[in-house]
Each structure stands twice: as structure tokens, then as C-alpha cells.
């Protein structure tokens, strides 16, 4: 009996693997050609360069990540009516208008390099005495700046005394006179004054110390040495800045710069001194754009009597504009400007908005001319444009003007 039970168990164990294999083979296989679901990506609202494939937080600011359309090529942005009302998105139909008035540019006062003096060591030696030891100090012309000890200077003085003595022995000799003149010229070039040279001949005593004086009045803007320091010939000592005349630099878009000419008269108002407008002649227009912007600079100079203004103060430059008619214009805030260009938002449907590259022309405080990119009758967003710009970057993770022509 036990033998029969053992045989039955062995037979059952032999059958079980076959049954298991058959069951596995009957499992449902994925259909051929099935499309893998698109993987959702997430980004940070404040740092769109952060891209992850799962929900989480931004490693930079800690904000929760939000989903966005990473690979979408659709330039349209969908914003429903309710959200348009909340964001105060309004549009106007662009048309031809008359543009008049003047253009106000943001500017600033800067130092005029032509009013600066650079003082360097004329001879190698040690700074024995430094009479000016801090920046911001006013220096008058003829004021002593520093005293230098120089063995080289003492050698030159000895050469001069010997040349003078030699000339006395051979009075009237032309060559001796030339040697004396040459030795004296060296002393003058190395910082000795005429009175010091005469005193040297009178006392017949070498003096290795020489005091250097300010050739111009100004304010100490930079001090490059300390007392007791050894300097070489040509070593920078200090820099003086004169504020009697200041530059005015103002930023201007390249499209506007084409309409500005050198020699043009403009009005300048320094912030805080609105009752003292200045007339300035534009003397220079920078030929290249500032790095990463669409801005260039114009420059001129204004007098600064009594040094009442300091470099760094804000100044507004007013460009006169003649009346121009038959041009497409928009409110200034409708045009978004960044390092990649200028663009506006066009309403293409009830809930659809698209970016459009534009070029601008004449501009005043309120209106700007649209020279390229739009046609008469386009529905252009005039309020809420920056919200659409931010929403586009948030959802699509890229600048809306990328790929536009």
C-alpha cells in the first residue's frame, strides 16, 4: 500500500512543472506596436533650468515643482477666460497714429577721463614720506604729494656738479656747456625743480631726497603705494580725478540710436536738481551693443561748477522728437524687451495667445512705433503681457522668442 502511495506522489511532482510552464505561457503578452506613455516632466516656477521626471522640490529655492510641456513646439499659449480676467489681460487692435513729444532716456554722471591725472614714479627709490594717505582727499595744484629717497638721483646730482666744475675750468667750451645742459636736463626730468638745481650748485651738497608736487588740482581717486615702499621707475603712485566737467552716459536701444546724431543738442536733468536743466551736445555714440542686451550708449559732457554733482548720480536725457504720422504704435508696456530681442503677444483665438517678434522705431514716454512684425488690425495684448511671458516659460521651459523669425 505504501509503495503505491509513493508512486502516486512521484507522478504528481513530475506533472507540476509542466502545468506551471503552461500557465506562464498563457499570460497575456503586450500587443506589438503599443506606444509607450509619454513621460511627464516637472520644473521650478522660479528656476526653469531645473527639470525632473518626478514630482519634488527645487534644489535651489525649495519650491514645489510643477508640470510643464518640455518638448512642445506649439507656440500658442492657452489661457481660459476666467484666468484672463484674473490676470487683467486686455488687448487692443493696433492701428496708425501720430507720435509726438520727446523721448526720456535713463542716464548717469560719470568721470571725464580727460579731467584725470595719473602720477607715477619718475625714478627708482623708496617712498620716504607720503603726504597724501587716503582717497577722497582734495589736492590743489602745486601741493606736495610724496618725498622719494633715491641713490640714483644722488648720482645724477654728483654728475651735474662735476660737469659744472669742469665747465669752469674750460670756460667758453661748447662741448662742456652741452654736457652741463644735458646733466641738468636729467635732473629736471627726474623731478628736480629749477630752484632745487640752483640750490644744488650753491650748496655743492648732494640731496638724495626729492619732493614731487601735484601738477593739477583734483580728488585722490586711487592710491597705489604706502609709505616706506620701494618703487621702480614708472611705478604708479596715485590717480587724481577732476570733477569740474562730467560725462553724461545714457542707454538707448539700437533702433533709436540710428535716429540720433553726433552734435545733436539734448536736455539733461540731474535727479534732485530739476530746477537746473543743462544743455548737452552728444559727442559720442557707442558703435557696439552692451553685452547681453539690445542697448548702446550715447555720451556728452556738462559743466559742474563748484563740484556740486558727484559721479554716479542719476540723470535723465530728453531727446526731442518731431511729429510723425501714419505709423503703427503701441503702449510702451506692450513690448517685452530682453536679451533675445523684442516681442509682443497676439491674441489668435478666444483663449489662445502667441508671441511675435517686432522691431521698434521712434518712442516717447507712452507710445512706441512698431516698424516691423505687426500689421494693421492685429489684436495685441497691452496689459498682462509679462504674465503671459512668465506663464510660457513656466509651462514650456523656454523663452517664447526662441525659434521665432
Amino acid at each position: 500500500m505504501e509503495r503505491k502511495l509513493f508512486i502516486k506522489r512521484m507522478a504528481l511532482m513530475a506533472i507540476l512543472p509542466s502545468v506551471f510552464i503552461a500557465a506562464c505561457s498563457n499570460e497575456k503578452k503586450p500587443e506589438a506596436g503599443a506606444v509607450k506613455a509619454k513621460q511627464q516632466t516637472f520644473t521650478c516656477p522660479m528656476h526653469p533650468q531645473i527639470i525632473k521626471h518626478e514630482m519634488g522640490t527645487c534644489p535651489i529655492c525649495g519650491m514645489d515643482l510643477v508640470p510643464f510641456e518640455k518638448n512642445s513646439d506649439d507656440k500658442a499659449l492657452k489661457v481660459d477666460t476666467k484666468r484672463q480676467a484674473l490676470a487683467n489681460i486686455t488687448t487692443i487692435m493696433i492701428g496708425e497714429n501720430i507720435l509726438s513729444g520727446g523721448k526720456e532716456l535713463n542716464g548717469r554722471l560719470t568721470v571725464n577721463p580727460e579731467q584725470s591725472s595719473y602720477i607715477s614714479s619718475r625714478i627708482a627709490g623708496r617712498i620716504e614720506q607720503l603726504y597724501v594717505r587716503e582717497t577722497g582727499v582734495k589736492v590743489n595744484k602745486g601741493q606736495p604729494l610724496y618725498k622719494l629717497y633715491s641713490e640714483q638721483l644722488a648720482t645724477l646730482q654728483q654728475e651735474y656738479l662735476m660737469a659744472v666744475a669742469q665747465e669752469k675750468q674750460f670756460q667758453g667750451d661748447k662741448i662742456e656747456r652741452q654736457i652741463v645742459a644735458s646733466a641738468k636736463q636729467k635732473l629736471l626730468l627726474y623731478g628736480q625743480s629749477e630752484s632745487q638745481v640752483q640750490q644744488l650748485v650753491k650748496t655743492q651738497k648732494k640731496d638724495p631726497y626729492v619732493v614731487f608736487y601735484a601738477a593739477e588740482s583734483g580728488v585722490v581717486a586711487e592710491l597705489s603705494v604706502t609709505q616706506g615702499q620701494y618703487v621702480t621707475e614708472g611705478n604708479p603712485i596715485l590717480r587724481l580725478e577732476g570733477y569740474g566737467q562730467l560725462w553724461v552716459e545714457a542707454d538707448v536701444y539700437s533702433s533709436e540710436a540710428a535716429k540720433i546724431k553726433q552734435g545733436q543738442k539734448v536736455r539733461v536733468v540731474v535727479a534732485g536738481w530739476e530746477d537746473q536743466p543743462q544743455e548737452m551736445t552728444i559727442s559720442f555714440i557707442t558703435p557696439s551693443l552692451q553685452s547681453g542686451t539690445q542697448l548702446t550708449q550715447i555720451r556728452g559732457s556738462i559743466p559742474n561748477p563748484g563740484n556740486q554733482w558727484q559721479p554716479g548720480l542719476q540723470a535723465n536725457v530728453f531727446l526731442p522728437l518731431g511729429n510723425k504720422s501714419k505709423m503703427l504704435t503701441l503702449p510702451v508696456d506692450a513690448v517685452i524687451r530682453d536679451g533675445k530681442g523684442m516681442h509682443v503677444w497676439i491674441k489668435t483665438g478666444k483663449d489662445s495667445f502667441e508671441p511675435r517678434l517686432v522691431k521698434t522705431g521712434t518712442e516717447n514716454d507712452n507710445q512706441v512705433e512698431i516698424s516691423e512684425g505687426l500689421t494693421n488690425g492685429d489684436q495685441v495684448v497691452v496689459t498682462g503681457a509679462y504674465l503671459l511671458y512668465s506663464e510660457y516659460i513656466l509651462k514650456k521651459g523656454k523663452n517664447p522668442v526662441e525659434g521665432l523669425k
Side-chain angles (χ1 to χ4, degrees):
M1 185 69 181
E2 292 179 357
R3 180 179 177 81
K4 291 182 179 180
L5 182 59
F6 175 75
I7 294 173
K8 288 181 178 180
R9 287 177 177 176
M10 292 299 291
L12 181 61
M13 291 178 65
I15 294 173
L16 282 176
S18 301
V19 174
F20 177 75
I21 293 172
C24 291
S25 63
N26 289 331
E27 288 182 358
K28 187 177 180 180
K29 298 180 179 179
E31 296 180 3
V35 179
K36 186 178 179 180
K38 183 179 179 181
Q39 189 175 25
Q40 178 65 60
T41 53
F42 300 85
T43 188
C44 172
M46 297 300 294
H47 304 92
Q49 70 270 26
I50 302 300
I51 298 174
K52 293 188 176 182
H53 297 295
E54 67 280 343
M55 189 61 181
T57 58
C58 176
I60 300 177
C61 64
M63 291 183 64
D64 291 336
L65 302 182
V66 296
F68 82 119
E69 305 167 19
K70 178 182 177 183
N71 298 317
S72 175
D73 292 328
D74 185 11
K75 286 295 180 183
L77 184 65
K78 303 294 183 181
V79 182
D80 58 48
T81 305
K82 183 177 180 180
R83 293 176 61 200
Q84 291 181 40
L86 290 174
N88 191 29
I89 297 175
T90 60
T91 64
I92 62 170
M93 182 179 294
I94 189 172
E96 294 181 345
N97 291 297
I98 296 176
L99 190 64
S100 61
K103 170 65 178 176
E104 181 179 348
L105 305 178
N106 293 323
R108 67 215 140 265
L109 301 182
T110 62
V111 175
N112 185 346
E114 297 176 353
Q115 302 289 310
S116 298
S117 299
Y118 296 85
I119 299 174
S120 58
S121 176
R122 294 187 181 182
I123 194 170
R126 184 181 71 244
I127 303 293
E128 191 70 19
Q129 182 70 37
L130 194 61
Y131 299 109
V132 179
R133 302 191 182 187
E134 58 183 337
T135 58
V137 176
K138 181 174 175 55
V139 171
N140 296 317
K141 182 178 181 179
Q143 178 178 332
L145 299 177
Y146 66 97
K147 179 192 288 186
L148 188 74
Y149 171 81
S150 174
E151 289 290 348
Q152 184 180 354
L153 179 62
T155 301
L156 292 175
Q157 290 176 347
Q158 183 64 41
E159 290 180 0
Y160 178 67
L161 291 176
M162 292 176 62
V164 171
Q166 191 76 10
E167 183 190 18
K168 288 182 179 179
Q169 295 181 3
F170 300 95
Q171 291 186 1
D173 189 279
K174 182 178 180 181
I175 295 179
E176 294 297 336
R177 286 199 305 269
Q178 291 177 347
I179 293 175
V180 170
S182 177
K184 180 180 179 180
Q185 185 65 24
K186 286 182 181 180
L187 291 175
L188 296 176
L189 290 175
Y190 281 121
Q192 297 274 268
S193 64
E194 184 69 36
S195 60
Q196 287 174 320
V197 174
Q198 293 176 3
Q199 184 68 17
L200 174 64
V201 176
K202 182 178 179 180
T203 61
Q204 294 291 305
K205 292 183 180 180
K206 297 182 297 181
D207 186 3
Y209 298 95
V210 58
V211 177
F212 291 89
Y213 301 88
E216 300 289 343
S217 299
V219 175
V220 179
E222 183 179 349
L223 192 61
S224 305
V225 297
T226 58
Q227 186 166 303
Q229 178 180 336
Y230 280 86
V231 295
T232 59
E233 185 176 347
N235 197 103
I237 303 296
L238 55 83
R239 175 167 59 89
L240 298 177
E241 289 181 346
Y243 298 152
Q245 189 180 65
L246 295 176
W247 273 357
V248 180
E249 295 179 341
D251 299 326
V252 59
Y253 286 97
S254 56
S255 58
E256 299 170 341
K259 302 177 179 64
I260 301 174
K261 306 297 182 184
Q262 289 189 17
Q264 182 178 345
K265 302 286 186 180
V266 296
R267 185 166 60 94
V268 176
V269 175
V270 180
W273 285 269
E274 286 78 7
D275 59 333
Q276 301 180 36
Q278 304 290 314
E279 184 181 68
M280 182 184 78
T281 301
I282 297 176
S283 60
F284 185 74
I285 302 174
T286 306
S288 60
L289 300 179
Q290 300 177 35
S291 177
T293 72
Q294 296 295 313
L295 296 172
T296 185
Q297 283 186 346
I298 62 173
R299 186 174 71 216
S301 61
I302 58 173
N304 185 23
N307 293 349
Q308 63 175 339
W309 300 317
Q310 295 78 40
L313 282 174
Q314 180 183 354
N316 296 322
V317 178
F318 295 89
L319 297 175
L321 298 177
N323 293 343
K324 300 181 70 174
S325 59
K326 294 183 179 181
M327 63 172 60
L328 298 177
T329 62
L330 282 176
V332 172
D333 292 339
V335 181
I336 297 178
R337 314 169 196 253
D338 61 16
K340 296 184 179 296
M342 293 178 283
H343 71 279
V344 298
W345 286 88
I346 305 296
K347 189 171 185 179
T348 57
K350 180 181 178 182
D351 301 330
S352 181
F353 300 87
E354 290 186 8
R356 183 87 56 85
L357 280 176
V358 296
K359 290 185 178 181
T360 61
T362 305
E363 181 178 344
N364 59 22
D365 294 339
N366 302 311
Q367 297 287 315
V368 57
E369 174 191 0
I370 305 298
S371 57
E372 291 184 25
L374 297 179
T375 57
N376 201 341
D378 285 337
Q379 286 287 341
V380 184
V381 175
V382 291
T383 62
Y386 279 93
L387 291 175
L388 293 176
Y389 174 80
S390 301
E391 181 79 1
Y392 190 96
I393 294 179
L394 177 64
K395 285 189 172 181
K396 301 183 182 294
K398 55 186 176 182
N399 193 300
V401 301
E402 291 181 4
L404 292 182
K405 296 181 179 180

